[in-house]
Amino acid sequence: MVKRLFIFERYIMKKIAVFTSGGDAPGMNACVRAVVRTAIYNNVEVVGIMHGYNGMISGGEEFIPMSSRSVGNIIQRGGTILKSSRSEGFKTKEGRKLAYDNLVLHGVEGIICIGGNGTFTGAEIFHNEYGIPSIGAPGTIDNDLYGTDFTIGFDTAINTAMEAIDKIRDTAESHGRIFFIEVMGREAGFIALASGIAGGAEIILLPEISEDINEVVQFFKTRELNKKSFSIAIVAEGNYEGGAFSISERLKREIPNFESRVVILGHIQRGGSPSAYDRVLASKLGNAAVEALLNGEKNKMAGLINNRIALTPFHDTVCIKKELNPDLLKLIDILNT
Ligand code: F6P
């Protein structure tokens, strides 16, 4: 039986749960740490759920009591100590019923979920069915969530991509080659745009912009005429013309003299120690998420807009498309001459 405590009419939860879900992102640990320590500061118990929604469904050893100590020495670590999953089980009514039973068994009254689109969609459905309130913190390298200027992990990921681009540029110049570098981002071009600008790329192909491939070919032909011997092209993985391999093949057919290579950066963008920016962002948002939950908010994501904490309904974070920064988009053509 859950004991209810009222202070000045404000109901204080006794126990909340925290978990990480979806693709991991550097800074998730810093966020878990902030969640646990903010809850303890407010005299609220915290249980950590391992492996995201899959752990919620399995229960048992997947539910771990958290203390200040259990989140010590993790702020600098990549990955997530709570592990993660993309749960198929939670998409089913049966799975969500098992998850609810486990939360009740552990006396959990509210949830902090750290993840992206899929995580928040699941939390909202769960609330509609069982009434358990959730607050989210945006944890994804993709930066594709409406309601926050930056997601936790994005800054580290673009720095990882930029360092890789710098290294590739050295060898591109030595051999006079075009490199097509594919970066992550699912259906969003935030990583491609930021890392491409930071890495001085000549071409940045984004899922949001329907670039005419013939113009891309023409761009490289002009560079050839101008004796520009090497180039860096960034291709977002969700680019509509296809991935880096297919674009490179197309170019090879059109400009046989140009030697090209393809690099897929892949999951290295998801790992590594979080940047200072991501650690601070994760700490702020983890804290804000717990404060919001304890203040009676639900089904919202805690984000940062213009450097201020903002709560946005899950529905909007998932359904409203976040736009790429138009000032950055303009820079692509100005700086690649
Ligand atoms: O978490 C985001 C992300 O890294 C996307 O950029 C990418 O499309 C996807 O996850 C890859 O997912 P997985 O690791 O499950 O293959």
Side-chain angles (χ1 to χ4, degrees), residues 141 182-184 264-270:
I141 63 165
E182 188 174 299
V183 296
M184 276 188 167
I264 311 282
L265 292 188
H267 287 77
I268 65 160
Q269 295 160 98
R270 287 240 295 261

Side-chain angles (χ1 to χ4, degrees), residues 62-292:
E62 298 287 74
F63 281 57
I64 296 174
M66 304 292 281
S67 66
S68 257
R69 273 272 185 97
S70 52
V71 290
N73 199 24
I74 65 166
I75 195 166
Q76 78 286 12
R77 286 170 57 189
T80 159
I81 59 160
L82 295 179
K83 317 291 187 214
S84 193
S85 66
R86 299 193 192 277
S87 177
E88 287 305 315
F90 202 73
K91 291 181 184 159
T92 67
K93 269 194 174 299
E94 299 72 34
R96 293 194 293 275
K97 171 77 173 78
L98 288 170
Y100 174 71
D101 290 345
N102 283 322
L103 292 177
V104 171
L105 190 70
H106 286 86
V108 171
E109 296 171 80
I111 300 169
I112 302 290
C113 46
I114 306 167
N117 285 316
T119 309
F120 300 157
T121 304
E124 184 155 41
I125 294 171
F126 196 52
H127 176 265
N128 293 342
E129 287 175 350
Y130 295 105
I132 298 207
S134 293
I135 294 288
T140 166
I141 63 165
D142 293 349
N143 199 29
D144 60 348
L145 288 168
Y146 178 85
T148 190
D149 291 340
F150 298 106
T151 54
I152 297 163
F154 173 68
D155 183 68
T156 309
I158 59 174
N159 276 288
T160 301
M162 180 194 71
E163 284 166 21
I165 295 166
D166 287 350
K167 292 187 168 106
I168 292 166
R169 176 178 286 282
D170 290 344
T171 176
E173 184 178 20
S174 303
H175 287 264
R177 289 170 171 162
I178 305 180
F179 270 82
F180 291 90
I181 305 174
E182 188 174 299
V183 296
M184 276 188 167
R186 207 181 288 271
E187 277 137 36
F190 294 94
I191 297 178
L193 181 57
S195 65
I197 296 284
E202 280 72 35
I203 288 273
I204 304 175
L205 296 175
L206 304 161
E208 292 86 349
I209 312 261
S210 50
E211 204 83 47
D212 181 350
I213 193 73
N214 295 316
E215 281 178 19
V216 177
V217 170
Q218 194 48 51
F219 175 84
F220 283 113
K221 281 187 173 161
T222 311
R223 279 181 76 77
E224 191 184 28
L225 285 178
N226 293 340
K227 305 269 177 277
K228 304 249 179 167
S229 63
F230 76 100
S231 300
I232 300 290
I234 304 296
V235 184
E237 67 175 341
N239 178 55
Y240 78 106
E241 277 286 353
F245 275 108
S246 65
I247 308 258
S248 143
E249 285 306 317
R250 171 79 197 268
L251 231 86
K252 255 188 217 161
R253 287 200 297 274
E254 304 273 352
I255 322 175
N257 297 347
F258 249 139
E259 231 193 297
S260 67
R261 292 288 185 275
V262 172
V263 177
I264 311 282
L265 292 188
H267 287 77
I268 65 160
Q269 295 160 98
R270 287 240 295 261
S273 179
S275 65
Y277 184 87
D278 272 333
R279 295 182 200 191
V280 174
L281 178 69
S283 302
K284 279 186 186 172
L285 297 185
N287 167 267
V290 175
E291 298 283 355

